[in-house]
Amino acid sequence: DGGITQSPKYLFRKEGQNVTLSCEQNLNHDAMYWYRQDPGQGLRLIYYSQIVNDFQKGDIAEGYSVSREKKESFPLTVTSAQKNPTAFYLCASKQGVGNQPQHFGDGTRLSIL
Amino acid sequence: AQKVTQAQTEISVVEKEDVTLDCVYETRDTTYYLFWYKQPPSGELVFLIRRNSFDEQNEISGRYSWNFQKSTSSFNFTITASQVVDSAVYFCALTRGGSSYKLIFGSGTRLLVRP
């Protein structure tokens, strides 16, 4: 089935450690996104990519990094510079540059040890 | 600036009741799109509907219906005869027309449907 796969489902980070969240899609979508969701809040955009080898910062990019080497993959690294990384992270993808709906993965819940 | 407000943080109803989730938006754009997403306990967001700013017709899909009123900048969502499976967090979102990349989300409304 076509869809977006995020892994792992749960992730724990030690102080000073970088961790990488995986996002893979087989929908052949051009654009991919990373969002952060905190309890009782909506989603906030971290990074997005509209084409391979190109990505842009969203509203809360500090402490995060991404790469887009392949169309189907958009991994997110949470660096040690992100002082409050505990949150639920959602990856999404969308076809084209118009206003098609974004499709979401199941999310990764990141916690601090 | 664009903004989406979902003033209802949590709603609790008994099964078979009708329930309306409110969404009020702010934008200076003349062309924009509105969305509703459902987030069940499993976590993924499920797309429910997209509406553009030039189409004010209400829409019905089974037990779901949407009321779009530009005069009040509202895009409300009604579930008729609610079921336990409707329990989830519902998000309203807004994006600009054209090649916009950015979805602006409301803070969500948690709906609990009790048997």
Side-chain angles (χ1 to χ4, degrees), chain A residues 9 33 35 37 40-43 45 48 50 57 59 88 90 94 97-107, chain B residues 33 35 37 39 42-47 50 89 91 95-108:
Chain A
K9 195 167 181 68
Y33 305 81
Y35 292 91
Q37 184 180 16
Q41 297 188 32
L43 281 67
L45 182 64
Y48 68 102
Q50 293 182 296
K57 292 182 179 180
D59 299 319
F88 188 55
L90 282 157
K94 180 174 76 71
V97 297
N99 289 282
Q100 299 302 316
Q102 294 181 18
H103 297 265
F104 286 80
D106 290 347
Chain B
Y33 289 78
F35 300 78
Y37 283 87
Q39 186 178 39
S42 52
E44 82 280 16
L45 265 71
V46 177
F47 165 72
R50 178 186 68 169
V89 180
F91 290 97
T95 188
R96 287 178 157 160
S99 60
S100 174
Y101 62 90
K102 190 172 178 178
L103 269 176
I104 307 297
F105 283 88
S107 56

Side-chain angles (χ1 to χ4, degrees), chain B residues 18-83:
Chain B
D18 299 347
V19 58
T20 295
L21 310 181
D22 298 332
C23 173
V24 174
Y25 63 92
E26 296 175 28
T27 182
R28 294 184 178 180
D29 297 326
T30 54
T31 303
Y32 53 89
Y33 289 78
L34 294 160
F35 300 78
W36 274 96
Y37 283 87
K38 173 182 180 180
Q39 186 178 39
S42 52
E44 82 280 16
L45 265 71
V46 177
F47 165 72
L48 296 177
I49 189 171
R50 178 186 68 169
R51 173 65 80 227
N52 74 57
S53 52
F54 298 107
D55 182 2
E56 287 193 72
Q57 279 196 332
N58 293 332
E59 180 156 340
I60 298 174
S61 176
R63 296 184 297 106
Y64 295 172
S65 62
W66 291 268
N67 181 269
F68 177 30
Q69 292 195 341
K70 287 179 75 171
S71 60
T72 56
S73 296
S74 65
F75 186 43
N76 296 339
F77 172 31
T78 297
I79 302 175
T80 303
S82 59
Q83 299 176 3

Side-chain angles (χ1 to χ4, degrees), chain A residues 11-22:
Chain A
L11 187 57
F12 298 91
R13 195 192 89 169
K14 295 179 181 178
E15 293 288 340
Q17 186 181 45
N18 293 352
V19 292
T20 297
L21 285 60
S22 171

